[in-house]
Every structure is written in structure tokens, then in C-alpha cells.
Short mmCIF file of all heavy atoms in Angstrom, two decimals:
data_model
loop_
_atom_site.label_atom_id
_atom_site.label_comp_id
_atom_site.label_asym_id
_atom_site.label_seq_id
_atom_site.Cartn_x
_atom_site.Cartn_y
_atom_site.Cartn_z
N MET A 1 -8.72 -0.42 1.14
CA MET A 1 -7.49 0.23 0.81
C MET A 1 -6.80 -0.59 -0.27
O MET A 1 -6.71 -1.81 -0.16
CB MET A 1 -6.61 0.31 2.07
CG MET A 1 -5.19 0.70 1.80
SD MET A 1 -4.12 0.63 3.25
CE MET A 1 -4.72 1.98 4.17
N THR A 2 -6.37 0.08 -1.30
CA THR A 2 -5.58 -0.58 -2.33
C THR A 2 -4.24 0.13 -2.41
O THR A 2 -4.19 1.35 -2.51
CB THR A 2 -6.28 -0.52 -3.70
OG1 THR A 2 -7.59 -1.06 -3.58
CG2 THR A 2 -5.51 -1.30 -4.74
N ILE A 3 -3.17 -0.64 -2.32
CA ILE A 3 -1.82 -0.08 -2.39
C ILE A 3 -1.17 -0.62 -3.66
O ILE A 3 -1.06 -1.83 -3.85
CB ILE A 3 -0.98 -0.48 -1.16
CG1 ILE A 3 -1.68 -0.05 0.13
CG2 ILE A 3 0.42 0.13 -1.26
CD1 ILE A 3 -1.02 -0.58 1.39
N TYR A 4 -0.76 0.30 -4.52
CA TYR A 4 -0.09 -0.05 -5.77
C TYR A 4 1.39 0.28 -5.59
O TYR A 4 1.75 1.39 -5.22
CB TYR A 4 -0.63 0.79 -6.93
CG TYR A 4 -2.12 0.71 -7.10
CD1 TYR A 4 -2.98 1.60 -6.45
CD2 TYR A 4 -2.68 -0.26 -7.93
CE1 TYR A 4 -4.35 1.53 -6.61
CE2 TYR A 4 -4.06 -0.33 -8.10
CZ TYR A 4 -4.88 0.56 -7.44
OH TYR A 4 -6.24 0.49 -7.61
N VAL A 5 2.26 -0.70 -5.85
CA VAL A 5 3.70 -0.50 -5.68
C VAL A 5 4.41 -0.92 -6.97
O VAL A 5 4.22 -2.04 -7.45
CB VAL A 5 4.26 -1.32 -4.50
CG1 VAL A 5 5.75 -1.08 -4.34
CG2 VAL A 5 3.52 -0.97 -3.21
N VAL A 6 5.21 -0.02 -7.50
CA VAL A 6 5.99 -0.33 -8.70
C VAL A 6 7.16 -1.23 -8.30
O VAL A 6 7.94 -0.88 -7.41
CB VAL A 6 6.51 0.96 -9.37
CG1 VAL A 6 7.42 0.63 -10.55
CG2 VAL A 6 5.35 1.83 -9.82
N GLY A 7 7.24 -2.39 -8.92
CA GLY A 7 8.36 -3.30 -8.66
C GLY A 7 8.37 -3.88 -7.25
O GLY A 7 9.43 -4.04 -6.66
N LEU A 8 7.21 -4.21 -6.72
CA LEU A 8 7.10 -4.75 -5.36
C LEU A 8 7.92 -6.04 -5.22
O LEU A 8 7.84 -6.94 -6.04
CB LEU A 8 5.64 -5.05 -5.04
CG LEU A 8 5.35 -5.66 -3.67
CD1 LEU A 8 5.70 -4.67 -2.57
CD2 LEU A 8 3.90 -6.08 -3.58
N GLN A 9 8.71 -6.08 -4.15
CA GLN A 9 9.49 -7.27 -3.82
C GLN A 9 8.83 -7.95 -2.63
O GLN A 9 8.34 -7.27 -1.72
CB GLN A 9 10.93 -6.88 -3.47
CG GLN A 9 11.67 -6.17 -4.59
CD GLN A 9 11.80 -7.03 -5.82
OE1 GLN A 9 12.21 -8.19 -5.73
NE2 GLN A 9 11.45 -6.49 -6.97
N PRO A 10 8.82 -9.28 -2.58
CA PRO A 10 8.16 -9.98 -1.47
C PRO A 10 8.63 -9.54 -0.09
O PRO A 10 7.84 -9.45 0.85
CB PRO A 10 8.51 -11.45 -1.72
CG PRO A 10 8.76 -11.53 -3.19
CD PRO A 10 9.37 -10.20 -3.57
N GLU A 11 9.91 -9.23 0.06
CA GLU A 11 10.43 -8.82 1.36
C GLU A 11 9.92 -7.45 1.81
O GLU A 11 10.04 -7.09 2.98
CB GLU A 11 11.97 -8.86 1.39
CG GLU A 11 12.64 -7.95 0.40
CD GLU A 11 12.85 -8.56 -0.98
OE1 GLU A 11 12.35 -9.65 -1.27
OE2 GLU A 11 13.55 -7.91 -1.77
N GLN A 12 9.33 -6.67 0.91
CA GLN A 12 8.79 -5.36 1.25
C GLN A 12 7.42 -5.45 1.92
O GLN A 12 6.98 -4.50 2.56
CB GLN A 12 8.68 -4.47 0.01
CG GLN A 12 10.02 -4.14 -0.59
CD GLN A 12 9.87 -3.46 -1.94
OE1 GLN A 12 9.09 -3.88 -2.78
NE2 GLN A 12 10.63 -2.40 -2.13
N THR A 13 6.76 -6.58 1.81
CA THR A 13 5.41 -6.74 2.34
C THR A 13 5.35 -6.50 3.84
O THR A 13 4.46 -5.80 4.33
CB THR A 13 4.87 -8.14 1.99
OG1 THR A 13 4.94 -8.31 0.58
CG2 THR A 13 3.44 -8.30 2.43
N ALA A 14 6.29 -7.04 4.59
CA ALA A 14 6.29 -6.85 6.05
C ALA A 14 6.48 -5.38 6.40
O ALA A 14 5.83 -4.88 7.33
CB ALA A 14 7.39 -7.70 6.69
N ARG A 15 7.33 -4.68 5.69
CA ARG A 15 7.56 -3.24 5.97
C ARG A 15 6.30 -2.44 5.66
O ARG A 15 5.94 -1.53 6.41
CB ARG A 15 8.75 -2.73 5.16
CG ARG A 15 9.06 -1.28 5.36
CD ARG A 15 9.58 -1.00 6.76
NE ARG A 15 9.92 0.41 6.85
CZ ARG A 15 9.58 1.19 7.85
NH1 ARG A 15 8.94 0.70 8.88
NH2 ARG A 15 9.90 2.45 7.85
N ILE A 16 5.63 -2.76 4.59
CA ILE A 16 4.38 -2.07 4.24
C ILE A 16 3.34 -2.31 5.33
O ILE A 16 2.65 -1.38 5.76
CB ILE A 16 3.88 -2.53 2.86
CG1 ILE A 16 4.83 -2.01 1.77
CG2 ILE A 16 2.45 -2.05 2.61
CD1 ILE A 16 4.62 -2.61 0.41
N ARG A 17 3.24 -3.53 5.82
CA ARG A 17 2.31 -3.86 6.90
C ARG A 17 2.66 -3.07 8.16
O ARG A 17 1.78 -2.54 8.85
CB ARG A 17 2.35 -5.36 7.17
CG ARG A 17 1.26 -5.83 8.10
CD ARG A 17 1.30 -7.34 8.30
NE ARG A 17 1.18 -8.06 7.04
CZ ARG A 17 2.13 -8.87 6.54
NH1 ARG A 17 3.24 -9.10 7.19
NH2 ARG A 17 1.93 -9.49 5.39
N GLU A 18 3.94 -2.96 8.46
CA GLU A 18 4.40 -2.21 9.64
C GLU A 18 4.02 -0.73 9.53
O GLU A 18 3.52 -0.14 10.50
CB GLU A 18 5.91 -2.37 9.75
CG GLU A 18 6.55 -1.63 10.89
CD GLU A 18 8.07 -1.77 10.86
OE1 GLU A 18 8.58 -2.85 10.47
OE2 GLU A 18 8.74 -0.79 11.21
N ILE A 19 4.24 -0.14 8.39
CA ILE A 19 3.89 1.27 8.18
C ILE A 19 2.39 1.46 8.28
O ILE A 19 1.92 2.40 8.93
CB ILE A 19 4.43 1.77 6.83
CG1 ILE A 19 5.96 1.79 6.86
CG2 ILE A 19 3.86 3.14 6.50
CD1 ILE A 19 6.61 1.97 5.52
N ARG A 20 1.63 0.59 7.66
CA ARG A 20 0.17 0.68 7.71
C ARG A 20 -0.33 0.60 9.15
O ARG A 20 -1.22 1.35 9.56
CB ARG A 20 -0.46 -0.43 6.87
CG ARG A 20 -1.97 -0.31 6.77
CD ARG A 20 -2.57 -1.51 6.09
NE ARG A 20 -2.49 -2.64 7.00
CZ ARG A 20 -2.22 -3.89 6.65
NH1 ARG A 20 -1.99 -4.19 5.40
NH2 ARG A 20 -2.16 -4.86 7.54
N SER A 21 0.25 -0.25 9.96
CA SER A 21 -0.15 -0.42 11.36
C SER A 21 0.09 0.84 12.19
O SER A 21 -0.56 1.05 13.21
CB SER A 21 0.58 -1.59 11.99
OG SER A 21 0.16 -2.79 11.38
N ALA A 22 1.03 1.68 11.76
CA ALA A 22 1.29 2.93 12.47
C ALA A 22 0.15 3.93 12.30
O ALA A 22 0.00 4.85 13.10
CB ALA A 22 2.61 3.54 11.99
N TYR A 23 -0.66 3.76 11.25
CA TYR A 23 -1.73 4.70 10.95
C TYR A 23 -3.13 4.16 11.21
O TYR A 23 -4.08 4.93 11.30
CB TYR A 23 -1.64 5.15 9.49
CG TYR A 23 -0.40 5.97 9.24
CD1 TYR A 23 0.78 5.37 8.80
CD2 TYR A 23 -0.38 7.34 9.48
CE1 TYR A 23 1.93 6.11 8.59
CE2 TYR A 23 0.75 8.09 9.27
CZ TYR A 23 1.90 7.47 8.82
OH TYR A 23 3.04 8.21 8.63
N PHE A 24 -3.26 2.84 11.32
CA PHE A 24 -4.57 2.23 11.51
C PHE A 24 -4.52 1.31 12.73
O PHE A 24 -3.48 0.75 13.06
CB PHE A 24 -4.99 1.42 10.28
CG PHE A 24 -5.18 2.28 9.06
CD1 PHE A 24 -4.19 2.40 8.12
CD2 PHE A 24 -6.37 2.97 8.87
CE1 PHE A 24 -4.35 3.20 7.01
CE2 PHE A 24 -6.56 3.76 7.76
CZ PHE A 24 -5.55 3.89 6.82
N ASP A 25 -5.65 1.16 13.37
CA ASP A 25 -5.76 0.29 14.54
C ASP A 25 -5.41 -1.15 14.15
O ASP A 25 -6.10 -1.75 13.33
CB ASP A 25 -7.19 0.37 15.08
CG ASP A 25 -7.41 -0.49 16.30
OD1 ASP A 25 -6.45 -1.14 16.77
OD2 ASP A 25 -8.55 -0.51 16.79
N PRO A 26 -4.34 -1.71 14.72
CA PRO A 26 -3.94 -3.07 14.36
C PRO A 26 -4.97 -4.12 14.79
O PRO A 26 -4.97 -5.23 14.27
CB PRO A 26 -2.61 -3.28 15.05
CG PRO A 26 -2.49 -2.20 16.07
CD PRO A 26 -3.42 -1.09 15.66
N GLU A 27 -5.86 -3.77 15.72
CA GLU A 27 -6.91 -4.70 16.16
C GLU A 27 -8.04 -4.81 15.14
O GLU A 27 -8.73 -5.82 15.08
CB GLU A 27 -7.47 -4.25 17.51
CG GLU A 27 -6.46 -4.31 18.63
CD GLU A 27 -5.94 -5.72 18.88
OE1 GLU A 27 -6.75 -6.67 18.88
OE2 GLU A 27 -4.72 -5.86 19.05
N SER A 28 -8.23 -3.77 14.34
CA SER A 28 -9.27 -3.82 13.30
C SER A 28 -8.79 -3.05 12.07
O SER A 28 -9.30 -1.99 11.73
CB SER A 28 -10.59 -3.24 13.81
OG SER A 28 -10.41 -1.89 14.20
N PRO A 29 -7.78 -3.59 11.39
CA PRO A 29 -7.22 -2.91 10.22
C PRO A 29 -8.20 -2.93 9.06
O PRO A 29 -9.10 -3.78 9.01
CB PRO A 29 -5.97 -3.72 9.90
CG PRO A 29 -6.30 -5.09 10.40
CD PRO A 29 -7.13 -4.88 11.63
N PRO A 30 -8.05 -2.01 8.12
CA PRO A 30 -8.92 -2.01 6.95
C PRO A 30 -8.59 -3.21 6.04
O PRO A 30 -7.50 -3.77 6.11
CB PRO A 30 -8.59 -0.69 6.25
CG PRO A 30 -7.18 -0.40 6.66
CD PRO A 30 -7.06 -0.94 8.07
N ALA A 31 -9.54 -3.55 5.21
CA ALA A 31 -9.27 -4.55 4.17
C ALA A 31 -8.22 -3.95 3.22
O ALA A 31 -8.30 -2.77 2.87
CB ALA A 31 -10.54 -4.89 3.42
N VAL A 32 -7.25 -4.77 2.82
CA VAL A 32 -6.15 -4.26 2.00
C VAL A 32 -5.90 -5.17 0.81
O VAL A 32 -5.91 -6.40 0.93
CB VAL A 32 -4.84 -4.17 2.82
CG1 VAL A 32 -3.68 -3.73 1.95
CG2 VAL A 32 -5.01 -3.21 3.98
N THR A 33 -5.68 -4.53 -0.34
CA THR A 33 -5.21 -5.23 -1.52
C THR A 33 -3.87 -4.60 -1.88
O THR A 33 -3.76 -3.39 -2.00
CB THR A 33 -6.19 -5.07 -2.70
OG1 THR A 33 -7.46 -5.59 -2.32
CG2 THR A 33 -5.69 -5.79 -3.94
N LEU A 34 -2.84 -5.42 -2.01
CA LEU A 34 -1.49 -4.95 -2.33
C LEU A 34 -1.14 -5.47 -3.72
O LEU A 34 -1.14 -6.68 -3.95
CB LEU A 34 -0.50 -5.48 -1.29
CG LEU A 34 0.97 -5.10 -1.46
CD1 LEU A 34 1.16 -3.59 -1.43
CD2 LEU A 34 1.80 -5.77 -0.36
N LEU A 35 -0.84 -4.54 -4.62
CA LEU A 35 -0.59 -4.92 -6.02
C LEU A 35 0.78 -4.47 -6.49
O LEU A 35 1.18 -3.33 -6.26
CB LEU A 35 -1.65 -4.28 -6.93
CG LEU A 35 -3.09 -4.68 -6.68
CD1 LEU A 35 -4.02 -3.79 -7.46
CD2 LEU A 35 -3.28 -6.13 -7.05
N ASP A 36 1.48 -5.37 -7.17
CA ASP A 36 2.73 -5.05 -7.85
C ASP A 36 2.36 -4.63 -9.26
O ASP A 36 1.69 -5.37 -9.98
CB ASP A 36 3.63 -6.29 -7.87
CG ASP A 36 4.89 -6.07 -8.69
OD1 ASP A 36 5.34 -4.91 -8.81
OD2 ASP A 36 5.42 -7.07 -9.21
N ILE A 37 2.78 -3.43 -9.65
CA ILE A 37 2.44 -2.94 -10.98
C ILE A 37 3.71 -2.50 -11.71
O ILE A 37 4.76 -2.30 -11.09
CB ILE A 37 1.43 -1.78 -10.93
CG1 ILE A 37 1.98 -0.62 -10.11
CG2 ILE A 37 0.10 -2.27 -10.35
CD1 ILE A 37 1.12 0.61 -10.19
N GLU A 38 3.59 -2.33 -13.01
CA GLU A 38 4.73 -1.95 -13.83
C GLU A 38 5.05 -0.47 -13.73
O GLU A 38 6.21 -0.07 -13.67
CB GLU A 38 4.46 -2.31 -15.29
CG GLU A 38 5.64 -2.12 -16.20
CD GLU A 38 5.37 -2.62 -17.60
OE1 GLU A 38 4.75 -3.68 -17.75
OE2 GLU A 38 5.78 -1.91 -18.54
N ARG A 39 4.00 0.38 -13.72
CA ARG A 39 4.21 1.83 -13.61
C ARG A 39 2.92 2.51 -13.18
O ARG A 39 1.84 1.94 -13.30
CB ARG A 39 4.72 2.41 -14.91
CG ARG A 39 3.74 2.34 -16.05
CD ARG A 39 4.33 2.95 -17.34
NE ARG A 39 3.43 2.73 -18.44
CZ ARG A 39 3.42 1.65 -19.21
NH1 ARG A 39 4.29 0.68 -19.00
NH2 ARG A 39 2.56 1.51 -20.18
N LEU A 40 3.07 3.73 -12.69
CA LEU A 40 1.93 4.56 -12.30
C LEU A 40 1.74 5.66 -13.34
O LEU A 40 2.51 5.77 -14.30
CB LEU A 40 2.15 5.14 -10.91
CG LEU A 40 2.08 4.12 -9.78
CD1 LEU A 40 2.65 4.69 -8.49
CD2 LEU A 40 0.65 3.66 -9.57
N ALA A 41 0.74 6.49 -13.14
CA ALA A 41 0.38 7.51 -14.12
C ALA A 41 1.47 8.55 -14.36
O ALA A 41 1.63 9.04 -15.48
CB ALA A 41 -0.91 8.22 -13.70
N PHE A 42 2.23 8.90 -13.32
CA PHE A 42 3.26 9.92 -13.46
C PHE A 42 4.64 9.29 -13.33
O PHE A 42 4.87 8.51 -12.40
CB PHE A 42 3.08 11.02 -12.41
CG PHE A 42 1.78 11.76 -12.55
CD1 PHE A 42 0.73 11.49 -11.68
CD2 PHE A 42 1.61 12.71 -13.54
CE1 PHE A 42 -0.48 12.15 -11.81
CE2 PHE A 42 0.40 13.38 -13.67
CZ PHE A 42 -0.65 13.10 -12.82
N PRO A 43 5.57 9.63 -14.22
CA PRO A 43 6.92 9.07 -14.15
C PRO A 43 7.57 9.35 -12.79
O PRO A 43 7.42 10.44 -12.23
CB PRO A 43 7.67 9.80 -15.27
CG PRO A 43 6.61 10.27 -16.19
CD PRO A 43 5.41 10.55 -15.33
N GLY A 44 8.25 8.37 -12.26
CA GLY A 44 8.95 8.54 -11.00
C GLY A 44 8.16 8.14 -9.76
O GLY A 44 8.75 7.93 -8.71
N LEU A 45 6.84 8.05 -9.87
CA LEU A 45 6.05 7.62 -8.73
C LEU A 45 6.27 6.13 -8.51
O LEU A 45 6.35 5.36 -9.44
CB LEU A 45 4.56 7.88 -8.95
CG LEU A 45 4.10 9.32 -8.92
CD1 LEU A 45 2.59 9.38 -9.11
CD2 LEU A 45 4.47 10.00 -7.62
N ARG A 46 6.36 5.73 -7.24
CA ARG A 46 6.58 4.32 -6.92
C ARG A 46 5.43 3.70 -6.14
O ARG A 46 5.26 2.50 -6.14
CB ARG A 46 7.87 4.18 -6.11
CG ARG A 46 9.07 4.70 -6.89
CD ARG A 46 10.25 3.93 -6.68
NE ARG A 46 9.90 2.58 -6.29
CZ ARG A 46 10.74 1.61 -6.16
NH1 ARG A 46 11.99 1.82 -6.38
NH2 ARG A 46 10.37 0.41 -5.79
N VAL A 47 4.66 4.55 -5.42
CA VAL A 47 3.57 4.05 -4.58
C VAL A 47 2.35 4.94 -4.75
O VAL A 47 2.46 6.16 -4.79
CB VAL A 47 3.97 4.03 -3.08
CG1 VAL A 47 2.81 3.59 -2.21
CG2 VAL A 47 5.18 3.14 -2.86
N GLU A 48 1.19 4.31 -4.83
CA GLU A 48 -0.09 5.02 -4.83
C GLU A 48 -1.02 4.26 -3.90
O GLU A 48 -1.06 3.03 -3.91
CB GLU A 48 -0.68 5.08 -6.23
CG GLU A 48 -1.98 5.84 -6.29
CD GLU A 48 -2.48 6.01 -7.71
OE1 GLU A 48 -1.67 6.26 -8.62
OE2 GLU A 48 -3.70 5.88 -7.91
N ILE A 49 -1.76 5.00 -3.08
CA ILE A 49 -2.68 4.40 -2.13
C ILE A 49 -4.07 4.96 -2.38
O ILE A 49 -4.26 6.17 -2.43
CB ILE A 49 -2.24 4.66 -0.68
CG1 ILE A 49 -0.84 4.09 -0.44
CG2 ILE A 49 -3.26 4.07 0.31
CD1 ILE A 49 -0.24 4.45 0.89
N ASP A 50 -5.03 4.08 -2.52
CA ASP A 50 -6.43 4.44 -2.74
C ASP A 50 -7.22 3.94 -1.53
O ASP A 50 -7.17 2.74 -1.23
CB ASP A 50 -6.92 3.79 -4.03
CG ASP A 50 -8.35 4.14 -4.37
OD1 ASP A 50 -8.76 5.26 -4.03
OD2 ASP A 50 -9.03 3.30 -4.97
N ILE A 51 -7.91 4.85 -0.84
CA ILE A 51 -8.65 4.46 0.36
C ILE A 51 -10.09 4.98 0.27
O ILE A 51 -10.31 6.12 -0.11
CB ILE A 51 -8.00 5.05 1.63
CG1 ILE A 51 -6.57 4.56 1.77
CG2 ILE A 51 -8.82 4.71 2.87
CD1 ILE A 51 -5.81 5.22 2.89
N ILE A 52 -11.02 4.14 0.64
CA ILE A 52 -12.42 4.54 0.75
C ILE A 52 -12.77 4.50 2.23
O ILE A 52 -12.63 3.46 2.88
CB ILE A 52 -13.35 3.61 -0.05
CG1 ILE A 52 -12.97 3.68 -1.53
CG2 ILE A 52 -14.81 3.99 0.18
CD1 ILE A 52 -13.68 2.68 -2.38
N ALA A 53 -13.20 5.64 2.76
CA ALA A 53 -13.53 5.73 4.19
C ALA A 53 -15.04 5.84 4.38
O ALA A 53 -15.74 6.39 3.55
CB ALA A 53 -12.85 6.95 4.80
N ALA A 54 -15.50 5.29 5.48
CA ALA A 54 -16.93 5.36 5.82
C ALA A 54 -17.04 5.56 7.31
O ALA A 54 -16.19 5.13 8.08
CB ALA A 54 -17.65 4.09 5.40
N GLN A 55 -18.12 6.19 7.73
CA GLN A 55 -18.38 6.38 9.15
C GLN A 55 -19.53 5.53 9.58
O GLN A 55 -20.45 5.28 8.93
CB GLN A 55 -18.71 7.83 9.46
CG GLN A 55 -17.49 8.68 9.50
CD GLN A 55 -17.84 10.06 10.07
OE1 GLN A 55 -18.98 10.46 10.11
NE2 GLN A 55 -16.83 10.75 10.49
#
């Protein structure tokens, strides 16, 4: 999982982790890369999440 956040602040990391835990098993969470970026492809977007799933 890669999470791209426009203007990421260090204090937001815990909240992002909390939200992610609501959707994934906290005992075996996916590998995550969290990136602070300047902008996304479309104006006004602040967060983009890219996930690769396997069975």
C-alpha cells in the first residue's frame, strides 16, 4: 500500500495509522509507504492510495 498525502504533517501519521487499522487486520497489516508530496494529478485532491492485493 502506498499512501500519497499533499502537505503531510508529522502529527497526521498517527491518525492515518488509526484509519488504516479500521480497514485492515492490525495483527497483520499490509506493508505501507507513506509519502508527502507537493500535488496530485487533479487539482484539489489531497490523498491518493495505491494498493496491490493478492490471495
Side-chain angles (χ1 to χ4, degrees):
M1 167 186 290
T2 305
I3 304 172
Y4 305 90
V5 181
V6 175
L8 178 66
Q9 300 298 311
E11 61 273 9
Q12 295 171 316
T13 304
R15 180 68 177 134
I16 291 168
R17 190 178 302 117
E18 179 184 324
I19 293 167
R20 186 188 72 219
S21 294
Y23 293 93
F24 296 98
D25 180 2
E27 295 299 317
S28 60
V32 176
T33 301
L34 180 60
L35 298 170
D36 174 27
I37 59 172
E38 188 174 319
R39 66 180 173 273
L40 290 165
F42 298 103
L45 289 182
R46 300 217 25 173
V47 176
E48 182 174 320
I49 301 172
D50 182 32
I51 301 173
I52 299 172
Q55 282 190 341

